[in-house]
Amino acid sequence: MTQKILIADDHPLFRDAVKLAVAKAAPAAEVVDCGNLSEALAALRSGAAVDLILLDLYLPDVDGFSGLLQLRSEYSQLPVAVVSACDEPEIIGKAIGFGARGYIPKTSSLDDICAALKVLLAGGASHPELPAEPLDAPLDGFSSLTPAQLKVLGYLKNGQLNKQIAYDMEISEATVKAHMTAIFRKLNVRSRTQAVIAAGALALPEQRA
C-alpha cells in the first residue's frame, strides 16, 4: 500500500527539500504539503489517510507546542515527527515528551533526513540524543488537554476574560468556565495566573533569522 506523508511547513523551499528526501527514502510515497496548521488539520479532517506528519514547530498559526499537542490530541494514533530549525536539547526533549515520534533538525544532511524518514515510516522513533537530566516542568498535564482546552489556555495567556473567550470561540461562558476547571485540574494549578505561568512550558525560543 502506498504511504502518504503530510508536511506542514510555511517555507516552500524547505517543503521542496523534504520532498526530495521523501523521494529518496520512500520513492513510492505520496506527499501532501501544507503551509500552516489549519491547512494540515483541514486535510486530515477531510479524510486524508496519512501515515506520517512532518511538523514545523514555528508555523504562523501556532503558539509554541500547541500545534503538536493539538495533533496528538485529535489524532493520537497518527505519528508526528517535528522538523525544526531549533536544535536545543531541551526543546527536543519537550517535543518527545509531548508525543512526537521523531525530531529532525533542519540542519540535518539529506542523507540523515532520509535515514530518519525510513525509520519513522517503518514505525520506529528517530531523534537526536535526549538530555539525561529530567525536564523542569511535567508535561503529562498538557498532553491530556483537549483542542478546545488548548485554545482556552491560549486565550488565557493573552489575558482575555471569560466573556471575550466565549465570544471568540462562539461558546457560552459556562462552557469556558468548565474548560478552565478542567485545565486547572490537569495542570495542577488553582488560578488563572498559575495556569499562565505553567503554560510557559509550551513556549519556544525566538526563531533565529
Side-chain angles (χ1 to χ4, degrees), residues 1-15:
M1 185 173 63
T2 301
Q3 293 176 304
K4 183 175 290 187
I5 300 173
L6 187 151
I7 303 171
D9 194 298
D10 62 327
H11 294 93
L13 290 178
F14 189 77
R15 291 203 303 271

Side-chain angles (χ1 to χ4, degrees), residues 4 15 31 37 49 81 99 103 105 110 119 121 128 130 156 161 170:
K4 183 175 290 187
R15 291 203 303 271
V31 174
L37 182 67
Y103 198 106
L110 179 61
V119 171
L121 288 171
L130 296 174
L156 288 179
L161 302 175
E170 299 182 342

